[in-house]
Every structure is written in structure tokens, then in C-alpha cells.
Amino acid sequence: MGLDNVAVRWPRTGRFYDPVAPAEFVDFGELADAPEVAAPTAALAGYIAKNGSVRATAYTELVDLLLGLDGVLYATEAAAEDEDPVIDPDGCAWIAGGLERFVDGHRTHGEMVTFDTVSAVLRSALADGRLAEQQLRWLDSRLDALRDEAGAPPQWSFARSELAVLAGFYRRCAERGYAVYADS
């Protein structure tokens, strides 16, 4: 199976969350049909346009690293508090903002997002911080934890534009007051 992040009406009505109609995301389909768009970007945009959701499994490690928490797209913190794995509109804005800043910061590293380029962007962002040395040690421990037993890094390969579309999904939810239900 995997993890789907489904746009839902906020707050819930009764016992359940009502899914947002995919028509609210139909404009993502225009990007999916554009000829110059990378195939993974087009696939993600098309899926969002048709379903009003994101198949989030592939992005979980990256989003957790970028935002500095575990289980962000699984809404694990919300699940512990509310018993419902839901990211509220403010949480969607936070996710979108983090992804947008990363996409902007990655511009100088090209279109392909890999483990090495993610590391470079994050190091650059943390190097000028107030507690740079401490934050860089934290980053090194997070990066090391993502390596396999042989020390090899994850084989991430995302188009920067794909991550911009991902950010756009969460931004749309935030701006329209939708939540995201983490369905695994």
C-alpha cells in the first residue's frame, strides 16, 4: 500500500472528514499536460488534479529531513493527540513554506534533487545561523541516520519542479482552509 495525503474539509463534520472534490485541484492538470514538464512532475500534478490527493510515500524521508521532524506527512503528532492522522490548514502552510524555501534554495544546484544536493542546500542554510555548529552536527546525525548499513545514502532523485508541485498541493490546502488526512 503506501501513504496517501488526501485533501479534506476542515473541520470534520460528524465522525468523518469529507474529501475535497478533485475539481478544487483541476488546474494542476494544466501543468501535467505541458510538454516541457519533467515526467515525474507531470505525473504528480496529474494525480493531484484527478484525485485531490498525493501519494506521499516517496517524499516522507525528504520532508522529514527538510522540516526537522519525523512522520510529518503521516501526521503522527496529530494522530497521538487527536487519534486522527490529520494535518490542519496551519500545518499545511508550514509544510508548504518549508518545501518552497527548499525549492528556492536548491535553484543554484540545478533541477535534480539528490541526497547530495539536499545536504548542500541544508548545510548552506544552516551555516549562517545563530547556532550553526550545533545545527550542522544535528544535520550530520540526521543525514547519517538515512544511510544504509553499508553507508550508502538514499537514492533520491526528484525533479525540483516536482517538489514545487508538492508544495503547491499543501499551499492550496492551506489557502482554502483544507486539512490533509494521512491515509496509510
Side-chain angles (χ1 to χ4, degrees):
M1 175 102 182
L3 173 66
D4 285 346
N5 275 191
V6 182
V8 295
R9 302 264 174 220
W10 180 258
R12 72 177 173 198
T13 53
R15 293 181 45 209
F16 302 102
Y17 291 92
D18 294 325
V20 172
E24 296 290 328
F25 298 92
V26 73
D27 58 315
F28 281 73
E30 296 168 12
L31 180 60
D33 295 334
E36 69 281 354
V37 173
T41 304
L44 177 59
Y47 191 84
I48 292 169
K50 290 178 185 155
N51 300 292
S53 65
V54 168
R55 293 206 179 261
T57 305
Y59 308 107
T60 58
E61 282 184 340
L62 176 62
V63 171
D64 285 355
L65 178 61
L66 295 178
L67 300 178
L69 296 174
D70 292 324
V72 172
L73 300 182
Y74 282 93
T76 53
E77 187 173 306
E81 294 172 8
D82 306 331
E83 297 182 21
D84 288 329
V86 176
I87 303 165
D88 67 21
D90 290 340
C92 288
W94 176 69
I95 292 169
L99 287 169
E100 291 161 351
R101 283 186 300 281
F102 173 76
V103 167
D104 287 343
H106 195 280
R107 183 165 307 191
T108 60
H109 295 276
E111 180 62 15
M112 289 310 303
V113 175
T114 66
F115 184 79
D116 291 336
T117 63
V118 168
S119 176
V121 170
L122 292 177
R123 285 182 195 291
S124 176
L126 295 176
D128 296 331
R130 189 172 56 109
L131 300 171
E133 188 176 313
Q134 179 183 355
Q135 290 178 333
L136 288 169
R137 278 195 311 271
W138 171 85
L139 175 61
D140 286 338
S141 70
R142 291 290 294 222
L143 293 170
D144 287 343
L146 291 171
R147 296 179 184 278
D148 66 17
E149 298 82 28
Q155 296 303 304
W156 294 333
S157 181
F158 301 105
R160 195 171 67 87
S161 58
E162 179 183 1
L163 298 179
V165 168
L166 183 65
F169 171 76
Y170 294 100
R171 179 62 61 202
R172 172 71 51 87
C173 289
E175 288 175 350
R176 297 197 178 169
Y178 304 144
V180 170
Y181 184 83
D183 187 17
S184 55

